[in-house]
Amino acid sequence: MNAKRWFALLAAVVLFVVSIGFQLISSFATANFEQMFALEDKKFDEEVIEEGVGNKIVVLHLDGVIQDTAPSTLINTTSYNHKRFLEMLDEAGKDTSVDGIILRVNTPGGGVVESAEIHDKIVEVQEEHEKPIYVSMGNTAASGGYYISAPADKVVAHPATLTGSIGVIMEGYDLSGLAEDLGIDFNTIKSGEYKDIMSFSREMTDDERDILQSMVDDMYADFVQVIVDGRGMSESSVRELGDGRVYTGKQAQENGLVDELGSMDDTIAMMKEDQGWEDAQVVTYNNALGFEQFLGMSMQSVFGENTEMHHMMEVIRESNAPRAMYLYSN
């Protein structure tokens, strides 16, 4: 490539960068700068759901698969953000103006570690800050969704909620037959016999299956114990119910997995009545529009749907590796 072509290419790159810069500057120019830097003083804005005086109840929403795979908020402002949800739960626990917390759970579950982190944070808030935590189940609160609900002081499900799915799943693919049909060979160099365990390039051995089954059994035992501790049920009862099947909210109540049937509004009313907070204010948390969130929205306005595509690719890359999940899928 001669000098003129190099110069033309450089000029094109500079023009592209400048055009992006102008769009971002335009977005900055129309923003409310006091709002833009609000996050420096306050992590979350409070949105009032019900007016009230005296006591305060915070409603936190958990929607979507529980996975710590959300990209930086610079390009993602809408999907489930594991770190942000834990921060919201921690904030509600530490805030002395908050008297009670309701978790609106609508998830098929997700990662074993992420579910355990939420569970542990709930228990921490209950023990260290002595605040009641109720769960209101949405359409689905299964597997990891039930795991995080188990320690709640009261669990409320809609009669048609799908919950339960108590268990652990680990899945992979064996594409060796397809590869053979297509004439594809795999070259694997490994340091140990089990380094490529669950590889899609070959059939799993009996030894490998035993190793993975023992891991799943250990994680299932932890799931069972979480329910035993949180619901006060016997281990034998939990194991009998925990064969992986889902239950409707009505069936779950009959089996002792949930306490009451009702909607989100019913759950709020129950907490008010149980705690004697008839006039309590009910709020939810929203992300304060700080610099990082503002820049994220500006990037979305510039790049449009490409930001969502980036997030989808991140999830695909993450899910490509076999992992144990507390997840209900059909």
Side-chain angles (χ1 to χ4, degrees), residues 1 16 38 94 105 107 123 125 145 152 155 172 222 224 238 261 282 291 307 311 325:
M1 186 179 291
F16 175 75
K94 292 178 178 178
V105 178
T107 174
V123 173
V125 170
V155 181
D222 175 69
V224 169
V238 175
L261 299 179
V282 184
F291 179 81
T307 57
H311 176 54
M325 304 283 282

Side-chain angles (χ1 to χ4, degrees), residues 161-322:
T161 294
L162 290 182
T163 187
S165 187
I166 298 166
V168 188
I169 188 168
M170 181 183 289
E171 291 184 311
Y173 302 97
D174 177 8
L175 302 180
S176 57
L178 177 62
E180 183 177 352
D181 291 341
L182 297 175
I184 299 173
D185 293 324
F186 295 96
N187 298 313
T188 303
I189 310 301
K190 55 185 180 179
S191 59
E193 181 180 356
Y194 302 113
K195 185 60 180 175
D196 64 339
I197 195 169
M198 282 194 85
S199 170
F200 61 78
S201 64
R202 61 177 178 78
E203 186 178 353
M204 183 183 297
T205 68
D206 290 339
D207 285 346
E208 290 171 335
R209 190 175 298 276
D210 290 342
I211 290 171
L212 296 175
Q213 186 63 57
S214 68
M215 294 167 56
V216 168
D217 290 344
D218 285 346
M219 287 180 278
Y220 175 68
D222 175 69
F223 201 153
V224 169
Q225 191 61 46
V226 160
I227 301 173
V228 169
D229 295 338
R231 300 294 303 169
M233 301 172 67
S234 68
E235 181 178 340
S236 60
S237 296
V238 175
R239 288 185 177 272
E240 183 178 352
L241 293 169
D243 59 3
R245 78 182 70 181
V246 292
Y247 300 95
T248 65
K250 184 175 182 297
Q251 291 171 334
Q253 185 194 34
E254 294 171 351
N255 290 322
L257 294 174
V258 306
D259 299 298
E260 303 285 351
L261 299 179
S263 64
M264 179 68 213
D265 289 339
D266 293 330
T267 307
I268 293 172
M270 289 177 195
M271 177 170 278
K272 287 182 177 182
E273 182 177 355
D274 293 347
Q275 306 299 326
W277 302 337
E278 286 77 10
D279 297 323
Q281 182 187 54
V282 184
V283 304
T284 189
Y285 285 161
N286 295 318
N287 284 342
L289 186 59
F291 179 81
E292 188 180 65
Q293 283 67 35
F294 174 79
L295 183 57
M297 288 186 292
S298 298
M299 294 285 282
Q300 284 188 319
S301 69
V302 172
F303 293 109
E305 296 181 356
N306 287 340
T307 57
E308 293 302 318
M309 180 61 69
H310 180 89
H311 176 54
M312 289 176 60
M313 293 304 295
E314 287 291 323
V315 173
I316 290 172
R317 279 193 290 268
E318 180 72 17
S319 62
N320 191 45

